[in-house]
Amino acid sequence: MPDSEIKNNYEPKIVAFFCNWCTYTAADLAGVSRLKYAPNVRVIRIMCSGRVDPQFILQAFASGADGVLIGGCHPGDCHYSEGNYKMLRRFRLLKRMLKSLGIAEKRLRLEWISASEGEKVKSVINEMVEQLKVLGPLAIPQSLDKINEELKEIPEEEIREEEPAHA
Amino acid sequence: MSDNNNKLNGSPQTNGAAVSNGTPKIGFYVCHCGHNIASQVDVEDVQKFASELPGVAVSRDYKYMCSDPGQELIQKDIKELGLNRIVVASCSPLLHEHTFRTAAEKAGLNPYYFHMVNIRENVSWVHDNKESATKKAKDLTRAAIQRVFFHKALEKKTVPINPDVLIVGGGIAGITAALTIANAGKHVYLVEREPTIGGHMAMFDKTFPTLDCAACILTPKMSAVKSHPHITMWTYSEVEKVDGFVGNYRVQVKRKPRYVNEELCVGCMECIDACIYKEAKYPDEFNQKLSKRKPIYIPFPQATPQVVLFDPETCIDFKSHRCKKTCIEVCDREAIDLKQVPEYKEINVGTVILTTGFKTYDAELSPQYGYGRYPNVYTSLEIERLVNASGPTAGEIINKDGIKPKSVGIIHCVGSRDQKAHKWCSKVCCMYSLKLAHLIKEHTGAQVYNFYIDMRTPGKGYEEFYDKLMTEGVHFVRGRVSEVTDWALVPEEENKLTIRVEDTLIGVVRRVPVDMVVLAVGLEPRVDADDIRRMFNISCSNEGWFLERHPKLAPVSTFTDGIFIAGGCQGPKDIPDSVAQAGAAAAEVLSLISAGSIELEPNTASIMEDHCSGCKSCIPLCPYSAISYIEDSKKAYINEALCKGCGTCVAACPSGSITQNMFDDEQIFSEIDGLLKFAGIELEETEGEHA
Ligand SMILES: Cc1cc2nc3c(=O)[nH]c(=O)nc-3n(C[C@H](O)[C@H](O)[C@H](O)COP(=O)(O)OP(=O)(O)OC[C@H]3O[C@@H](n4cnc5c(N)ncnc54)[C@H](O)[C@@H]3O)c2cc1C
Ligand code: SF4
Ligand code: SF4
Ligand code: FES
């Protein structure tokens, strides 16, 4: 199949982690408001974006996701004060790591979406699907082993370094 | 976490160790939700698909799963087929998770063996291609089926409810809620920022549609609050800090100094007369700056509490320490204390009601109406004060030059239904404009013109009130006013304000010269609404109103347990609606108090001692300081009573030693796996950006 054809027929798969209090509620609002968005995203509900373990993201890519979207509350709005900040730090770390693995930056996205921003759920998802279509499929399962190896070494020190002492 | 890469190979049943409650026998139920789901998702296809998944003992579709027959279907299967896991694919778990859990529980199954798939809000309502919507519904179903393999029986966590209640904001909503709760014998702390309770209602002379005297119906309630044995009323106070959670909030309240001892002052106001300033010199905020007050003042005669206060910004003694302090000399109760400092109170309450109200739109932001430029353009709130018998003119409606207007134009929708200001309808302005039209006509005999876009008078007795106004000779012009100007084109417009408007009923542009213009300013969220909602950990709508848990079914609840909202802070509302909401919020609070405790999700985290390396990296992460380090065992320990279940520590533990009920790693990994297993196209070629 020529490259362009793959891209045209290709429907990217996105795994999304939405925090219960803001983004999941916003997605419900998008539903209640009957906003239409691309069907490529599959949502996993968690209580807080702070629960998103880097391993979940890597596992999603490893199992064939073309993109991973994390939705949390706006800074200062996290239901648990600062889970979203913890996520943000982890996210930055992960981006660096994905880059070193050759995974395009746009495949991992973190968005702050409040409970009233149904429109934003729609626009973020639609935009991400468009971007992933341009990038084309990511077929990672082959490099899974490599990732697992690297993973074993990275987080332990770096995460600890990244998390500052709690005030 | 190293051994958590448990990609589910083949049938998850093989993961025996992780599976509790015997071999999973899953009942799967997919709901049509009438046409809501069935029109976009091939429900039968999903049902068939699920029936073939490992572990599924029975798969059914039904028109309304949440109905009694739907729930009975599940219960019957649990009993007859011995099901030990239930998955329902229907609407959002935020709506019906509780319903189905309870149904399962009634049939003897631990409710945490249930899981819900959202194929309405997340699928049928947001997609319009049935094929891809159905595929998505199947992926989500598969993820849930895999997930419930790892569900465990859990005990609900219950926390006791401290029966004391905090109410923030002492307008009519806060007053009503406070009295309702206190009358039930529960203790209320009512915190009001201003020196008096009463809110906006205290400023009005009459209230629509019955034209009762606002003071006559409000002040008895204000005094009842003040004297109630179960109400601690803190005016001139603000909440500074909130900690804790439903059942037990710790709150710090700052009591700003009045420089007058509230216990000693009896409100005789002799000090005001004795003030070295013989004339009042400073703008009186309560009177919308239409009159002046002294540095020592009381907002209005019936202010509650009846206690004066100082304005340190204007008092000579605060500036130079050289005042003769005639006020102190005259007070035989020795109530004045210029050395007063802020006082901080710490209280514990189980529940909170926020009734912080609204503010009115700043009319200067719509310059076409000339507010701030032409002295005879007033806001509605200013007219409320002018028309009030205890207001700056003792109820006389006169312009700033002291002359009674012969003609008055009331402009509706200022700041409302306006793309350049607020899009929303402020709901009360048509009605209060009619009220003001009536009062102005009654007080002055002037010709009164109401300029409106649409006349909105839904409410009991409201349309009748409008009808009555029509018979009183008030003029109504339909159309949005484009401008208020003092530019006279004809002699009749000299020395007048001319209102330019297209009268859309007769289709001509009119110029109506008047002596006084009243702007019916809309309602908007308070400036600090965002700070307040953050402090109490609740959400706001895009416009900035406090967000209710459900617009229809939970209008006074929020997403934070134990925090309720009522009145103007939730959206534009008149007094009857504010009072009704306050009553509803009080009922919610009382029902929690009388239950004595609340059940919380058991989604707490715990540490697997054997795995914990004692690295301590989780300890600073917990926002509730629930994690401590046990020196003896050299391991971390989570106090379950403090853990709120965010999962942050779980995600961060480098050795994967922390588990979280309901959101365990293996549950989420199995979901990820289930989502992707049959998802999307199969990739034949693998060329990617990765090395
Ligand atoms: C010009 C005008 C005329 C109206 N006329 C009528 C009428 O005739 N009939 C009718 O039914 N409705 C009328 N309304 C609507 C009416 O004003 C509202 O329905 C009512 O005031 C809502 O009451 P509330 O207690 O929710 O808010 P508010 O009256 O705004 O009271 C809120 C209180 O909370 C306090 N507060 C705010 N923030 C804090 C904080 N952070 N900490 C502590 N305290 C705080 C405020 O100081 C205030 O005392 C009118 C509105 C306007 C603007
Ligand atoms: S993060 Fe906490 S639970 Fe995990 S190993 Fe370190 S101390 Fe133990
Ligand atoms: S889950 Fe959240 S609240 Fe519970 S112990 Fe961990 S960090 Fe603290
Ligand atoms: S609860 Fe939404 S990010 Fe923490």
Side-chain angles (χ1 to χ4, degrees):
Chain A
M1 216 176 341
D3 207 39
S4 62
E5 217 171 291
I6 295 182
K7 287 192 179 175
N8 284 342
N9 304 325
Y10 153 74
E11 288 296 339
K13 287 163 279 172
I14 303 174
V15 172
F17 297 93
F18 283 176
C19 91
N20 184 64
W21 304 100
C22 286
T23 315
Y24 194 87
T25 310
D28 270 9
L29 177 64
V32 174
S33 320
R34 311 298 198 277
L35 306 178
K36 302 291 177 223
Y37 56 79
N40 306 55
V41 67
R42 312 280 186 264
V43 177
I44 294 178
R45 180 166 72 115
I46 43 175
M47 293 318 273
C48 175
S49 65
R51 175 67 184 95
V52 180
D53 190 322
Q55 293 248 20
F56 296 166
I57 296 164
L58 296 168
Q59 181 71 34
F61 282 127
S63 308
D66 298 293
V68 173
L69 170 64
I70 302 153
C73 311
H74 284 269
D77 286 2
C78 170
H79 195 74
Y80 309 96
S81 324
E82 38 194 50
N84 49 1
Y85 288 112
K86 312 280 192 241
M87 181 59 231
L88 180 62
R89 276 187 216 116
R90 245 176 254 151
F91 172 78
R92 291 194 179 132
L93 181 72
L94 251 153
K95 278 224 145 175
R96 263 190 273 148
M97 186 166 145
L98 291 181
K99 207 165 156 202
S100 68
L101 289 169
I103 295 176
E105 217 177 319
K106 291 204 167 115
R107 295 196 183 272
L108 176 62
R109 186 160 174 165
L110 174 64
E111 284 289 342
W112 308 137
I113 305 180
S114 81
S116 59
E117 294 178 315
E119 275 289 340
K120 191 167 175 190
V121 171
K122 168 184 155 177
S123 57
V124 162
I125 290 174
N126 282 344
E127 192 183 289
M128 191 165 176
V129 170
E130 284 317 307
Q131 289 172 344
L132 292 177
K133 280 189 177 173
V134 173
L135 285 173
L138 170 77
I140 202 107
Q142 289 77 356
S143 0
L144 173 61
D145 294 341
K146 187 165 174 279
I147 293 177
N148 269 334
E149 280 313 303
E150 303 211 12
L151 199 74
K152 282 194 183 114
E153 290 148 32
I154 295 170
E156 208 153 329
E157 294 79 35
E158 286 208 33
I159 287 182
R160 229 177 307 152
E161 259 170 45
E162 286 274 321
E163 307 288 2
H166 195 256
Chain B
M1 203 159 298
S2 47
D3 53 350
N4 268 328
N5 264 335
N6 52 341
K7 292 194 68 193
L8 299 171
N9 298 318
S11 156
Q13 266 140 308
T14 49
N15 279 322
V19 173
S20 60
N21 200 19
T23 313
K25 279 185 94 173
I26 304 169
F28 175 76
Y29 304 85
V30 50
C31 181
H32 294 238
C33 194
H35 293 296
N36 283 306
I37 294 173
S39 62
Q40 279 309 322
V41 172
D42 186 338
V43 173
E44 283 87 13
D45 192 24
V46 176
Q47 183 273 113
K48 243 184 84 237
F49 168 82
S51 72
E52 287 157 14
L53 293 175
V56 175
V58 59
S59 173
R60 302 183 196 277
D61 62 281
Y62 189 70
K63 203 135 194 101
Y64 290 105
M65 279 312 300
C66 62
S67 67
D68 277 349
Q71 295 182 47
E72 280 157 19
L73 202 64
I74 301 176
Q75 291 169 325
K76 196 162 153 272
D77 285 349
I78 293 176
K79 287 182 191 142
E80 289 178 2
L81 305 174
L83 301 180
N84 57 15
R85 301 285 191 282
I86 302 294
V87 174
V88 174
S90 56
C91 50
S92 169
L94 300 185
L95 210 60
H96 271 312
E97 189 173 54
H98 185 72
T99 314
F100 293 119
R101 276 196 191 150
T102 312
E105 194 172 18
K106 281 193 185 141
L109 189 67
N110 183 290
Y112 298 97
Y113 283 124
F114 167 80
H115 193 69
M116 195 155 174
V117 189
N118 183 346
I119 59 166
R120 192 179 74 178
E121 285 81 349
N122 268 356
V123 183
S124 68
W125 277 352
V126 286
H127 305 316
D128 41 20
N129 176 317
K130 195 161 181 173
E131 198 191 325
S132 51
T134 304
K135 198 161 85 189
K136 178 169 174 182
K138 287 184 190 171
D139 288 347
L140 293 170
T141 295
R142 192 189 153 82
I145 300 278
Q146 292 204 166
R147 188 188 208 276
V148 290
F149 271 79
F150 300 101
H151 278 213
K152 297 182 181 92
L154 298 170
E155 287 296 317
K156 280 179 200 145
K157 186 173 152 185
T158 56
V159 296
I161 301 284
N162 180 328
D164 292 356
V165 184
L166 167 68
I167 297 179
V168 186
I172 185 59
I175 289 174
T176 307
L179 287 174
T180 311
I181 295 167
N183 286 342
K186 306 300 170 201
H187 197 85
V188 174
Y189 295 93
L190 178 62
V191 175
E192 165 61 51
R193 166 188 293 157
E194 298 296 328
T196 173
I197 57 170
H200 282 96
M201 189 177 171
M203 296 178 184
F204 311 153
D205 184 51
K206 300 279 188 312
T207 53
F208 65 72
T210 45
L211 297 176
D212 332 45
C213 146
C216 313
I217 55 177
L218 179 65
T219 45
K221 284 187 175 288
M222 289 163 59
S223 344
V225 165
K226 167 86 181 89
S227 58
H228 206 295
H230 294 310
I231 299 179
T232 302
M233 180 183 87
W234 284 329
T235 51
Y236 213 44
S237 301
E238 276 173 48
V239 174
E240 290 271 292
K241 204 166 149 231
V242 183
D243 281 324
F245 42 88
V246 58
N248 187 19
Y249 287 104
R250 280 178 307 282
V251 181
Q252 189 185 62
V253 179
K254 176 182 177 183
R255 305 216 57 203
K256 296 176 275 187
R258 283 175 179 262
Y259 306 104
V260 173
N261 185 322
E262 212 174 308
E263 255 71 86
L264 297 177
C265 173
V266 289
C268 66
M269 299 185 229
E270 281 181 26
C271 50
I272 303 182
D273 290 335
C275 174
I276 199 96
Y277 281 107
K278 286 288 155 259
E279 295 294 322
K281 252 184 88 176
Y282 302 102
D284 181 335
E285 296 86 355
F286 191 80
N287 276 337
Q288 302 295 300
K289 306 193 175 160
L290 292 174
S291 67
K292 304 269 198 278
R293 60 157 173 77
K294 293 185 180 179
I296 184 163
Y297 67 105
I298 189 159
F300 62 105
Q302 301 98 328
T304 307
Q306 279 273 308
V307 174
V308 298
L309 74 155
F310 277 84
D311 171 11
E313 299 290 313
T314 52
C315 171
I316 297 183
D317 203 59
F318 280 87
K319 284 190 279 191
S320 67
H321 299 292
R322 289 219 302 270
C323 182
K324 268 170 46 198
K325 302 198 256 283
T326 40
C327 54
I328 297 186
E329 283 166 18
V330 80
C331 181
D332 52 18
R333 297 191 50 89
E334 296 182 10
I336 298 175
D337 172 9
L338 296 179
K339 300 219 160 49
Q340 223 176 43
V341 288
E343 204 184 333
Y344 293 89
K345 302 271 189 185
E346 306 277 346
I347 53 173
N348 289 304
V349 296
T351 46
V352 179
I353 305 179
L354 300 178
T355 47
T356 50
F358 60 90
K359 75 181 267 292
T360 49
Y361 175 73
D362 177 0
E364 287 194 43
L365 298 176
S366 295
Q368 68 272 32
Y369 301 134
Y371 184 77
R373 207 155 20 104
Y374 305 129
N376 295 341
V377 177
Y378 291 84
T379 68
S380 48
L381 216 45
E382 290 170 335
I383 300 298
E384 292 284 355
R385 291 313 295 153
L386 279 187
V387 79
N388 196 303
S390 65
T393 54
E396 248 200 293
I397 299 181
I398 41 174
N399 267 324
K400 295 214 174 75
D401 49 18
I403 297 170
K404 200 183 260 188
K406 293 199 182 62
S407 50
V408 179
I410 303 179
I411 302 177
H412 289 220
C413 298
V414 174
S416 310
R417 307 180 67 199
D418 181 349
Q419 295 299 326
K420 291 202 199 95
H422 299 315
K423 288 189 193 142
W424 62 83
C425 164
S426 292
K427 208 173 168 185
V428 298
C429 321
C430 278
M431 280 304 291
Y432 79 55
S433 297
L434 293 176
K435 169 184 80 175
L436 292 177
H438 169 89
L439 294 175
I440 291 169
K441 203 152 177 73
E442 187 181 75
H443 285 233
T444 63
Q447 292 297 328
V448 181
Y449 299 85
N450 273 60
F451 300 90
Y452 66 100
I453 315 179
D454 295 296
M455 189 61 75
R456 297 197 165 168
T457 58
K460 194 170 171 186
Y462 289 12
E463 184 69 11
E464 293 85 332
F465 187 73
Y466 177 29
D467 285 344
K468 177 168 141 9
L469 265 280
M470 304 260 241
T471 65
E472 288 179 6
V474 172
H475 308 289
F476 290 93
V477 180
R478 186 173 181 276
R480 186 185 273 285
V481 170
S482 59
E483 189 189 22
V484 173
T485 175
D486 60 355
W487 185 278
L489 294 187
V490 288
E492 300 84 75
E493 293 177 4
E494 300 283 351
N495 298 320
K496 301 241 176 199
L497 292 166
T498 299
I499 296 175
R500 277 201 334 131
V501 61
E502 183 190 346
D503 185 332
T504 55
L505 289 182
I506 51 175
V508 294
V509 174
R510 292 176 65 177
R511 293 176 63 89
V512 182
V514 293
D515 296 323
M516 176 189 254
V517 171
V518 181
L519 303 181
V521 283
L523 275 47
E524 63 184 24
R526 286 203 183 257
V527 193
D528 65 341
D530 207 50
D531 302 333
I532 297 296
R533 68 150 188 107
R534 284 219 165 129
M535 188 146 58
F536 289 94
N537 209 345
I538 64 168
S539 304
C540 267
S541 68
N542 286 341
E543 299 81 23
W545 304 108
F546 292 164
L547 191 66
E548 62 282 354
R549 190 168 196 128
H550 191 280
K552 288 144 211 155
L553 303 179
V556 298
S557 304
T558 66
F559 287 102
T560 302
D561 285 328
I563 312 271
F564 301 92
I565 51 179
C569 59
Q570 184 257 358
K573 232 171 250 86
D574 56 18
I575 296 165
D577 285 359
S578 301
V579 168
Q581 273 206 336
E588 295 279 1
V589 161
L590 288 173
S591 95
L592 274 178
I593 296 174
S594 77
S597 62
I598 182 173
E599 281 180 352
L600 296 183
E601 294 274 273
N603 56 346
T604 44
S606 57
I607 292 177
M608 297 183 284
E609 261 205 38
D610 296 349
H611 293 72
C612 170
S613 66
C615 72
K616 299 190 195 173
S617 46
C618 55
I619 293 172
L621 293 181
C622 178
Y624 307 103
S625 311
I627 317 179
S628 50
Y629 183 71
I630 309 289
E631 287 297 341
D632 286 351
S633 59
K634 304 243 177 304
K635 311 261 175 195
Y637 167 78
I638 294 178
N639 178 345
E640 249 190 90
L642 295 179
C643 169
K644 289 225 268 170
C646 64
T648 303
C649 61
V650 192
C653 173
S655 59
S657 315
I658 313 184
T659 59
Q660 185 189 8
N661 287 339
M662 301 171 66
F663 295 91
D664 219 348
D665 280 354
E666 53 198 3
Q667 293 171 346
I668 294 172
F669 280 123
S670 64
E671 259 189 277
I672 297 171
D673 188 74
L675 287 180
L676 293 162
K677 204 156 228 174
F678 293 136
I681 53 154
E682 296 302 327
L683 289 167
E684 288 115 347
E685 289 163 62
T686 53
E687 35 105 41
E689 308 101 356
H690 49 93

